[in-house]
Amino acid sequence: MRNHQVKKLVILAFITALSVVLGNFLKIPTPTGFLTLLDAGIYFTAFYFGRKEAAIVGGLSGFLIDMIAGYPQWMIFSLICHGLQGFFAGFEGKKRYLGLVLAAAAMVGGYALFGSIMNGVGAALAEILSNFMQNAFGLAVGFALYKAFPESLKKTVTVK
């Protein structure tokens, strides 16, 4: 059992690190900012492992990206928004679609709320579309990656 926990921890650390690298260095410009692949790592983790693991990857990835990129004022907000995004995205079964809607709302709505506190309501409203696009893009890429990975990998790291 201990071996499975270590394998799972290593895989989650790798996904977190990859999400940080892709989120910080691969940016697609938009009129109000840019899109990153941070959300792809969150959604992949949610589909592959579940809500607890996705909350960890999402929160840590968002926190670390802001730290590395020089936006320390956003670190806690990103931890909350992306952590909740991962948690909700990890809902399973009949609650999956509700979870995906709540994940988008947590990320987009959370950044709108915190953005209005930090920069004013006008600036926060201007970022809603790009945050939604990043969320949708991450969902599509994360789902595609989930479908591309073999289910056998998940079975080797399942902790009971």
Side-chain angles (χ1 to χ4, degrees):
M1 181 169 117
R2 183 92 174 136
N3 190 28
H4 290 297
Q5 290 174 330
V6 172
K7 284 182 184 179
K8 188 175 191 178
L9 180 63
V10 168
I11 290 171
L12 293 177
F14 179 76
I15 294 169
T16 301
L18 188 58
S19 296
V20 169
V21 169
L22 291 175
N24 197 38
F25 297 110
L26 184 63
K27 299 175 182 171
I28 301 166
T30 67
T32 60
F34 51 85
L35 298 176
T36 71
L37 287 175
L38 164 64
D39 300 72
I42 296 168
Y43 282 110
F44 170 78
T45 307
F47 294 139
Y48 211 78
F49 292 106
R51 60 185 179 190
K52 181 175 80 172
E53 293 84 355
I56 292 168
V57 168
L60 284 176
S61 298
F63 184 89
L64 291 171
I65 285 173
D66 287 339
M67 183 178 71
I68 292 168
Y71 298 103
Q73 69 275 23
W74 287 97
M75 289 168 45
I76 297 300
F77 300 139
S78 292
L79 175 82
I80 293 167
C81 293
H82 289 295
L84 286 173
Q85 178 187 21
F87 180 80
F88 290 132
F91 284 5
E92 296 176 349
K94 294 180 180 181
K95 294 182 180 180
R96 169 72 64 171
Y97 293 111
L98 172 63
L100 294 176
V101 169
L102 290 174
M107 188 271 213
V108 176
Y111 275 113
L113 172 67
F114 295 130
S116 67
I117 294 168
M118 296 287 289
N119 302 319
V121 174
L125 291 174
E127 294 180 354
I128 287 177
L129 180 60
S130 63
N131 283 335
F132 180 77
M133 288 173 32
Q134 177 173 317
N135 187 77
F137 183 66
L139 173 60
V141 173
F143 185 73
L145 288 172
Y146 164 70
K147 286 297 191 180
F149 268 73
E151 191 69 22
S152 60
L153 176 65
K154 182 178 178 184
K155 291 177 185 168
T156 64
V157 294
T158 302
V159 179
K160 297 186 182 197

